[in-house]
Amino acid sequence: MSIISSLEEFEVTALREYLLGNFEAFSKFAFKIQTGTEFLTQDYHSVMFKSIQMAIDGETTRLAITIPPRGSKTQLVSVFLPLYAWVKNPHGHSILTGFNGSVLQECTGFIRTIMSDPDFRRVFPDTQIDMNKKSVEKLGTMNGGVIHAVPTSGALTGKGCGSLTGDFSGLM
């Protein structure tokens, strides 16, 4: 039995509101669901979390994170950030793109795994997987949100980002 399953509804609501306002806390929550372990931070993570939060809050519209491999870039930007966009706005659209298609598919697989967890579903009941859009190339929500995972060698034509509703609602 998880701690979240034993929470009262008002406590789940408070947790949801806290996580919706704090990408770092959301990422640590999602990491715990995904791996069963705590997210161990290094000094540079505070800069990454602050920079990503600035993009979420609209304080910047462009962000490039350039750190060496194994520094959590993929986990934070290609797994937790698109998922965070969905919990903030389940109608949103995102595109994940990069040179390695198998890494992109792994990312959407992780998103699908986290969304399928009972704790995640309890905290974010409005963000549910659309069973007709659950492939690793195109993952969707019941509210019409979509994540396309397209390698740079694939076709991006006709796929968009964002949404006309809500604030932070998608990314590329």
Side-chain angles (χ1 to χ4, degrees), residues 22-41:
N22 185 319
F23 177 71
E24 180 176 356
F26 175 83
S27 296
K28 291 176 179 179
F29 169 79
F31 187 84
K32 178 75 172 180
I33 289 173
Q34 180 188 350
T35 66
T37 62
E38 302 294 324
F39 185 91
L40 301 176
T41 58

Side-chain angles (χ1 to χ4, degrees), residues 129-135 138-142:
I129 294 174
D130 181 343
M131 297 313 275
N132 295 316
K133 294 179 190 157
K134 62 177 186 156
S135 74
K138 183 178 182 180
L139 190 61
T141 66
M142 294 300 292

Side-chain angles (χ1 to χ4, degrees), residues 109-150:
F110 289 147
I111 293 169
R112 187 175 54 205
T113 298
I114 295 165
M115 289 177 72
S116 299
D117 184 84
D119 286 344
F120 182 89
R121 290 195 322 259
R122 176 138 195 247
V123 176
F124 299 106
D126 294 335
T127 308
Q128 299 298 313
I129 294 174
D130 181 343
M131 297 313 275
N132 295 316
K133 294 179 190 157
K134 62 177 186 156
S135 74
V136 290
E137 295 87 15
K138 183 178 182 180
L139 190 61
T141 66
M142 294 300 292
N143 297 39
V146 177
I147 295 175
H148 296 281
V150 183

Side-chain angles (χ1 to χ4, degrees), residues 8-163:
E8 298 288 333
E9 197 55 43
F10 76 93
E11 294 170 309
V12 173
T13 300
L15 175 60
R16 179 183 315 112
E17 290 173 9
Y18 173 68
L19 295 175
L20 284 171
N22 185 319
F23 177 71
E24 180 176 356
F26 175 83
S27 296
K28 291 176 179 179
F29 169 79
F31 187 84
K32 178 75 172 180
I33 289 173
Q34 180 188 350
T35 66
T37 62
E38 302 294 324
F39 185 91
L40 301 176
T41 58
Q42 301 296 322
D43 294 342
Y44 63 87
H45 283 115
S46 62
V47 174
M48 288 177 64
F49 283 124
K50 181 179 179 186
S51 299
I52 293 168
Q53 189 69 54
M54 287 174 62
I56 291 166
D57 294 341
E59 295 173 28
T60 185
T61 58
R62 297 173 191 266
L63 177 63
I65 298 174
T66 54
I67 60 173
R70 313 301 303 165
S72 311
K73 290 185 306 288
T74 301
Q75 195 71 31
L76 295 178
V77 176
S78 298
V79 177
F80 300 149
L81 188 55
L83 182 55
Y84 187 74
W86 267 352
V87 299
K88 290 192 73 72
N89 183 349
H91 304 277
H93 290 211
S94 294
I95 295 174
L96 300 181
T97 189
F99 293 107
N100 190 332
S102 64
V103 170
L104 297 173
Q105 293 177 0
E106 189 176 68
C107 291
T108 55
F110 289 147
I111 293 169
R112 187 175 54 205
T113 298
I114 295 165
M115 289 177 72
S116 299
D117 184 84
D119 286 344
F120 182 89
R121 290 195 322 259
R122 176 138 195 247
V123 176
F124 299 106
D126 294 335
T127 308
Q128 299 298 313
I129 294 174
D130 181 343
M131 297 313 275
N132 295 316
K133 294 179 190 157
K134 62 177 186 156
S135 74
V136 290
E137 295 87 15
K138 183 178 182 180
L139 190 61
T141 66
M142 294 300 292
N143 297 39
V146 177
I147 295 175
H148 296 281
V150 183
T152 52
S153 61
L156 285 173
T157 307
K159 296 170 179 38
C161 300
S163 172

